[in-house]
Structures are given as structure tokens and as C-alpha cells.
Amino acid sequence: MLFNSLDFAFFLPLVFSLYWLFHKSIKIQNIILLIASYYFYSCWDWRFLSLIVISTIVDYSVGLSLSKEESQKKRKALLWLSIIVNLGFLGFFKYYNFFIEQFIQSFALFGVAIKGNSLNIILPVGISFYTFQTMSYTIDVYRKKIKATKDFIAFSSFVSFFPQLVAGPIERASNLLPQFSLKRRFNRAEGVAGMQQILWGLFKKVVIADNCAEIANLIFNNSTEYSGSVLVLGALFFTFQIYGDFSGYSDIAIGTARLFGFKLMKNFSFPYFSRDIAEFWRRWHISLSSWFRDYVYIPLGGSRVSKRKNIRNVFIVFIVSGFWHGANWTFIFWGALNAVFFVPLLLTDNNRNYLEIVAKGRLFPNIKELLSIGLTFLLTMIAWVFFRAETLGHAWSYLKGVCSSSLFIMPNFEGYIQSVICIILLVFLMVLEWFGREGDFAIDHITKSQSRLKRWLLYAFLIFLIGMYIPTNENAFIYFQF
Amino acid sequence: MKSFVKHSIAFLGFSSLIYLILIFVWGSVMPVWLNNNLIYKQRGGHLHSRLAELNKHQNVDVLFLGSSHAYRGFDTRIFKESGIHSFNLGSSSQAPVQSLLLLKKHIDNLQPKKIIFEVCPQSLSSDGIESALDIISNGKIDFQSIKMAIDLNHIKVYNTLIYSSIRQLLNFDQDFVEEQHIGKDIYISGGYVQRDDVQFEYKSPLEKNINPEQMVAFKELVSWVKSKDIDLILVQAPVTTTEYHSYADNTGFDKLMQDYSSYYNFNTLITLDDSLHFYDPHHLNQLGVETFNNELIDLLID
């Protein structure tokens, strides 16, 4: 079931009504959420629900055992049990074929032919997200940062919470799990904010991302046929497609959770206004970046080691992060490329220059800020080419096509009119994002001090744009494949 | 919670009103290429002209129904020369759902003795959107059109229905007269659209899988026409040889059609030259139409 589907438009009000009907009992509310979440997930493939159930049972039991166990050796064994089960599922479903192919190709390099059977494996939706979420629970219990829960229903609801089950934000148990044990009261302001955020997310997904996707797909799928200027458009549209798609999903997820009285972590914070790559990574997919920071980077020593080791740690985190996205060298290269962009900032101690949003309290940025934003945007756009391309060779030939003399000719292709429409929509998006950049999400900040009429007019206009520009094919979210 | 629900309902009403206003303003002011999901009178096919002269054609001998294969394939003048009074009610990509709607709407006026229903794998595999947009933007909006829009449940159809309804309510199209010459097409009184173009333009074939909803409408149309004691002839109009052989199962399709009524597949009954008788893989030029129609008339007279 997609957030941008008619099914969800019926599902959400139904679950919402049932949930608040039983506002006096947290237990019943959690049961309703659990059933709704399992139903939501089984709409894709009910068979894979078993993986979630197994992960839930294993991590719940490991958590309880960890809380009772004093022996460090046994605690470590329990932690490894959880990691092996969770990463085992992830490894098998997501990476098995990749490793088999690499193994065969490596031997082929030395002239040894090996017969290997790659399996026809379907990737369970959201496996990378809920695996990391449950792992954070056992790791935190192991580290004694949080106490293990005894409430199995609350824990199951935490693992499978439908708003963020399939594409995050990847929540920490320390933030989300306690919310399942607290009494929830409906708060009108939160409900309204949730609806606003859902609307904004939907706009970004169906108007921005899905329209950009049509042209980006056309150009990337036929990249050898187009001029450099058209290829630049393709990269630009993919850059906004992935932003609209993923940040749109996150907004819908966070907004939906707010309707049920839950506060999820922020996942995007206007990343395309970043002044350097370090700032970009503090604003892009925050829940994943901070997960890798807390569970990989810091345990490796983080920045409290020699510069050489620090650089190594940065590369490890970025490469693992790339690999998390998919079993393909393009993702690994994308991660490594971001590390290459990041390291100069680290070496010059400039990686924490921009902690506040650009031009805070001002209407416009200055020239230096504008240039920095432009340069950072260009670097991320280059990196996205690797992320989107089918193979590394495809990415290289794409970039080679960009750097040809045809870069300077007027783009002329069958998606030209659609591109003009997309550019108008992108300008509208970026203007709203700019004026709303000091809020949680763009329209939250813009409408804060406005009269009800003005607010409602803006929301109604967004609904109209959705109706006028929603592509007629239903498009799944990109991050579902991760 | 009460206040939240109350405000949500109020907002729903407010946003619906703004949506209607914006659809009307956007459709009227913005250039056509900016109206992604609003398709109003933008297609060829001359359905507006056809419906406008429908009252002049009562008690016809033959009524033609179907897609562009029909309105570009059955020349009512050729039938008239043989003493057959006919009317062509074909429209762009007309699928059985829309054929049924048009037929039910206009049968009392046309009172046909015989119906020739042009059938092909495309029309049975169609989602019906293009045809619905054509009918909504050219015909009068009534309960049947609204029901069709709900059945199709497609944003383009809803937007066009809203826009078209507002225009009709405000009498905006009262004086609208459709051009008889659009591009290379000439509208001929009686519903036929003529194109003399002999330059052949290749288009790649599309995959065709029968749409169950169209099949249901097709069956309903057949039994409804039979219940009215009207002769129903199913005709598959000729397409180019390459196009015809790109269809997955021609024998199966012929067998399927034969189960429902008298059926003639002119792709197997006559031999036409792709480059001489067609201007694209689907449509006959005037020379092709004359050959095809004379063969059909012979069959009808026999």
C-alpha cells in the first residue's frame, strides 16, 4: 500500500478513527497499531511479514536476556545473536546474489571458471530500514543506554509502526519505544501540523518527484542519444526526484505519526541549501547518517583518533552507507565519492562550519553563500549520477556525455515541454522551501503567522497542483527498493 | 478531537470550492501545454460536429460505432450512393464502455435498423480514458457522463468533467462551432472524417491485453442491441499488414467475436496495399476507404 494511493486514503482515516475511539487504553491502541501495521505491510507481500515477526521475537527475547544477564561474555554472545539474525536476513535477501556474482567474477579474472547459482530473490520492502531500527534497540540495551521492554505488544508495534516501517525515518528505540508506553491524548495542534506535513509530503512526492522521474527516466534510459545539455537536465531532474521522493515520504510518515500522537525524528532539513558537503550530510537522510555515526563511526573511534584513522573511518562510513542503499558498485562508488568530497573539509577542520540554516533571519543569502550552495549542489548532482546509473560504465559515459561540446547547445528532445513544466514546479518548490527553511518543513514555517484564510488558500492551491500535475501512473517510492 | 474533525470537514468544503474555481480559471487562462490533467476539446475526431448534427439524422439504416477506425473508415457518402442512409457515431479511441453510453443516449433519435460496430483488439484493451475525455468535452454532461467518470476513476476524467460542467453551466460554449478542416482532416456531414494524405507515417505497435471492464461493456452492448431487435454486425476494419500481424492472437480474437454476432474481419477479406491505402498503420486514406466501404456494402446487400 503506497502513501500516494487511494487505498491509503481509506486506510488512514479508518485506523485513525479506531485508534482514537480507544484513547483510554494504551494497550488496545497499540494492538490496533500493530494489526494496522501488519496489514499495511502484508499488502505488499504477506509472506515477508514472517521476517518482521522473527526479528521482533529475536530482538525482544535478546533484549530481555540482556537485561538479566551480567556476564559480559554471554551479553556479547546475545548481541551477536541479534546481529547475525538481523544482518543474516538482510544479507541473504539483499546481498546474496551480489556476493555470488563478485566471487565468480574474481575467480574468472584468474582464469578459473566457477559455476554459481544466483537465486531469484525478491527483496522484502523496507528490510534495510526495520533491520537497522531493531538492531539499534539491542545495541542500546547491550550498551545499557536503554532498559529492555517487557511489553511485547509495544515492542512489536515499535518495530512495525506503519508510518515509518518501509522507508524510515530509522528511529532509535530511545526515542520511539517509550512513546508506546505513554498515554496518548489527541492534540489538535499536532493533528493539524500532521495534516499539513502529509500534504506537503504528498506535493513533493506526486508533483515534484513523479514528474521529474518521467524525464529523468527517459534521459537516463537513453543517455547515449542525448546532447550534453539534455544530460544535465536529466541529472538535475533526478536530483530533485530523489529529494522530492524521499523527503516527501518522510514528511508523510512523520505527519501520519503525528496524527497518532507520535513524534518521529526529522529526516530532511533543506539539504539543497547546504553550503558544503558536511552540512549536506547533516541535512540529508538524517536518521541514517546519525545511525551510522552512532553505531559505526563512533565505535571505530570517530574523530578522536589520528587524522589518518579518522579519514579511514569517514571512508568506511560513507562506503557502508552506499552499500546499504543497494548491492551494486554504483552505490559503493557514490558513497566513496561523497567521502572524497568530505575529506578535504575534515583535513582543514572545516567540517562543522555550518550548523545553522543558511541566511538565518535574513531574506536572501549573500554572494558567498549563494556560490557555496551552488557548488555543493553541483557536487551532489554529480554524485547522484552514480546513484541513478545502472552500472559504473553507464555513469562514466553519462558524465562524459555531459562534458562534450553538445553541453552548450539548446536542449531539444521529446520531453522538452514536460521539462519546462517541471522547471516551473521546481522554482515554486524552491521558493517555498527557501522562505520556509527555518521551520520543520517549508509550509509549516510559511503559514505560522498567517491568517486562517491565507493558510487554507495555500493548502487548497497545493491540492489543486496535485490534481493538475499528478502523473497518471502510480509511482512507488524510490527508497522502497532499499 | 471534535474541533479537529469540524475544521477538517470545513477545510474539505473550502478546498473543494477552491479546486473548482482553480480548475475553471486554469483551464480558461493557461496555455494548453500547461494543463497536464485537463484535456478539453484538444483531440481530433470531430465529435462535437458529429453530435451537433445528430438531430438531422433520424431513422438511419446503418449506424456506425467504434474508434477512429470507424469514423475514418466508414464514409457515409459511399453508403448513400448505394441508397443506404447511415450515420457515423465513432469517436477517438472509442471503447465498448463509451460505445454503449453513446448508443443508449442517442438510439431514440437515430432509430437505426442495423448497427455496424467496429471492433479491434485495441478498443477492447483500452482503458477508455481518451474516449471518455472526448465525450465529456464535446457532449452534454448528464448523469451517464458522471457515472462513466466515477467508473473510470481517473484524475484527467474528473478534472475535464468539472471544467466541462462549469463551462456548460455558464453557457460558455453556446456559440462554439468546430472547424470542419483540422490539420489534414476534413469533416464530412454524416460523421465521417476524410484524409487524402497518402504519405505513410510509421508508428510502433502497442501491446494489447483485453481489459475485462471493456469486455463486460462489449457483452452488455451486444445483448442490449439484440434486445432492441436491431441487427448488429461486428466489423474489424483493415489495418496495415505489419500492424495486423503484430496482434498477439488474431484467430482467437476472430473466434471470440464470432461468438457474439455476425462478424467480418476485413484484414482477411480484402487485400490492401500498406503504402497505397493507408496514411498510418491504423488508418485508411480515402482510396482505402472507398475500396473497404464498397466491399462492405456488397456484403450488406448480399
Side-chain angles (χ1 to χ4, degrees), chain B residues 260-295:
Chain B
Y260 291 97
S261 198
S262 319
Y263 168 69
Y264 301 105
N265 181 355
F266 278 86
N267 291 290
T268 54
L269 289 173
I270 54 174
T271 310
L272 295 168
D273 188 301
D274 286 5
S275 54
L276 195 65
H277 294 106
F278 293 87
Y279 65 82
D280 72 19
H282 292 278
H283 302 112
L284 295 160
N285 58 29
Q286 192 56 26
L287 184 65
V289 168
E290 282 166 17
T291 316
F292 164 46
N293 284 191
N294 284 320
E295 289 287 335

Side-chain angles (χ1 to χ4, degrees), chain A residues 232-243:
Chain A
V232 169
L233 276 181
L236 177 81
F237 287 129
F238 181 71
T239 302
F240 280 102
Q241 180 199 345
I242 192 148
Y243 173 62

